[in-house]
Amino acid sequence: MQLGLIGLGKMGGNMAERIRRAGHEVVGYDRAPGKRDVDSLPALVEALAAPRVVWVMVPSGEPTRETVKELAGLLEPGDVIVDGGNSKYTDDQVHDVLCREQGVGYVDAGVSGGVWGLENGYALMVGGTAEDVAKVQPVFDALKPPAPTDESGQPIGGDAGFVHAGPVGAGHFSKMVHNGIEYAMMQAYGEGYELLEAVDLIEDVPGVIKSWTQGTVIRSWLLDLLVRALEEDPALDRVRGYAEDSGEGRWTVEQAIENAVPMPTIAASLFARFSSRQEDSPTMKAVAALRNQFGGHAVRAVEQAEAERPA
């Protein structure tokens, strides 16, 4: 089949390559001239035969909103737009209404796999009508990981790596929760690493973490990646302890509050990322000042803290 793909960065470019390897035609558009097959969105639409499927892979928020709005005005009834970025599920519901007014279908696809997806495949969580999802299914089949097989080579596990999660919004909601869990898992691995580093008893911290990748209940691809990072930089000296959040963790916690679902672990991992960005915590300044006020405990002046800070 044909697919129009908007956004050919690290993720989109690899996805385009994987889809082409499966025998499909991809017409790509990107703002960077060196990557694109056509020079504009109208040219992209013109290059595709109806019914068209156009996959949007651009940053979430306003860039996605603007792209979907322009596409909805260019496409024809029966065509389908897929948002494969990290949009908030409520944006999907707004986009669906906009597209339906033009007779255009809309599918939201939460995509996980990062830079490794080209070779390993992508986990796909999609939302939309059965009819619209079916129009995109050959692309989903090309992108998803190969099904695991038994000893005789027969596939097992059904659609591992792909799920039609529900109506529009369900795909990105599922990906949002996935990323919230990811926050918590990374935080747990990070805390375990710090404790191992903090004691003199453990002489081979990278070796201990690598030993966990086989036969243990905490093995995972994330743990494999931590091993890889420690092989490249055993003490993580080249990395600053500063972690951004891309939005999904916040949205997960917001939904937990909205639905009265306790999520202490995911919430704590999100707040830990906020703490990582503080050079000098106002909270802990207040704590230090209070200890001094009620107990006469010593406080470190700014000048003293600066003098003791490692070079």
Side-chain angles (χ1 to χ4, degrees):
M1 68 172 284
Q2 277 187 318
L3 177 74
L5 181 58
I6 302 169
L8 301 172
K10 290 180 181 179
M11 192 94 158
N14 282 349
M15 290 169 62
E17 176 62 21
R18 186 173 175 88
I19 295 165
R20 288 181 176 126
R21 290 180 185 179
H24 303 295
E25 178 186 354
V26 178
V27 180
Y29 171 73
D30 193 276
R31 289 185 300 176
K35 299 180 179 180
R36 63 197 186 194
D37 301 309
V38 292
D39 295 332
S40 66
L41 292 188
L44 177 74
V45 171
E46 185 66 25
L48 300 173
R52 304 168 185 86
V53 176
V54 181
W55 189 300
V56 179
M57 204 70 189
V58 301
S60 61
E62 202 55 37
T64 294
R65 296 185 195 109
E66 291 177 359
T67 303
V68 170
K69 183 177 180 180
E70 183 174 354
L71 276 176
L74 293 169
L75 294 173
E76 299 175 345
D79 295 343
V80 176
I81 295 174
V82 182
D83 177 9
N86 284 327
S87 294
K88 194 172 184 179
Y89 79 98
T90 49
D91 281 359
D92 294 316
Q93 294 164 343
V94 173
H95 293 157
D96 185 48
V97 172
L98 172 68
C99 290
R100 297 294 166 191
E101 291 174 351
Q102 306 296 324
V104 175
Y106 183 87
V107 171
D108 61 292
V111 182
S112 182
V115 296
W116 302 88
L118 173 59
E119 301 300 332
N120 298 339
Y122 300 87
L124 302 161
M125 299 142 270
V126 307
T129 67
E131 179 183 3
D132 289 335
V133 170
K135 291 178 181 178
V136 193
Q137 194 64 54
V139 174
F140 293 144
D141 290 340
L143 289 171
K144 71 182 183 182
T149 58
D150 60 20
E151 293 180 356
S152 66
Q154 294 299 311
I156 57 175
D159 275 338
F162 171 83
V163 62
H164 180 187
V168 167
H172 280 143
F173 192 98
S174 300
K175 178 60 163 45
M176 174 192 75
V177 176
H178 164 282
N179 281 28
I181 294 169
E182 179 184 293
Y183 277 42
M185 290 176 67
M186 287 192 286
Q187 184 68 24
Y189 287 139
E191 290 173 5
Y193 166 78
E194 182 172 0
L195 181 56
L196 290 172
E197 280 283 358
V199 300
D200 294 332
L201 183 64
I202 304 301
E203 297 177 349
D204 184 3
V205 173
V208 170
I209 291 176
K210 188 172 184 178
S211 76
W212 296 343
T213 63
Q214 300 295 326
T216 74
V217 296
I218 64 167
R219 64 190 185 273
S220 73
W221 183 42
L222 280 174
L223 188 61
D224 293 341
L225 293 177
L226 179 56
V227 169
R228 177 186 173 95
L230 290 170
E231 288 174 346
E232 296 173 352
D233 183 8
L236 300 182
D237 291 328
R238 301 196 298 268
V239 181
R240 183 185 169 201
Y242 183 106
E244 287 285 5
D245 66 286
S246 56
E248 291 92 342
R250 298 185 189 212
W251 303 338
T252 303
V253 173
E254 288 172 0
Q255 284 303 305
I257 295 169
E258 181 72 20
N259 291 279
V261 174
M263 280 193 170
T265 305
I266 292 175
S269 68
L270 174 65
F271 295 148
R273 294 197 181 192
F274 297 163
S275 296
S276 78
R277 302 170 208 163
Q278 295 180 322
E279 292 290 342
D280 193 12
S281 167
T283 297
M284 298 317 297
K285 284 186 175 183
V287 170
L290 283 168
R291 293 183 76 244
N292 177 258
Q293 290 292 324
F294 71 71
H297 301 289
V299 295
R300 291 203 303 169
V302 173
E303 294 81 2
Q304 178 188 359
E306 289 294 333
E308 296 177 0
R309 179 173 296 180

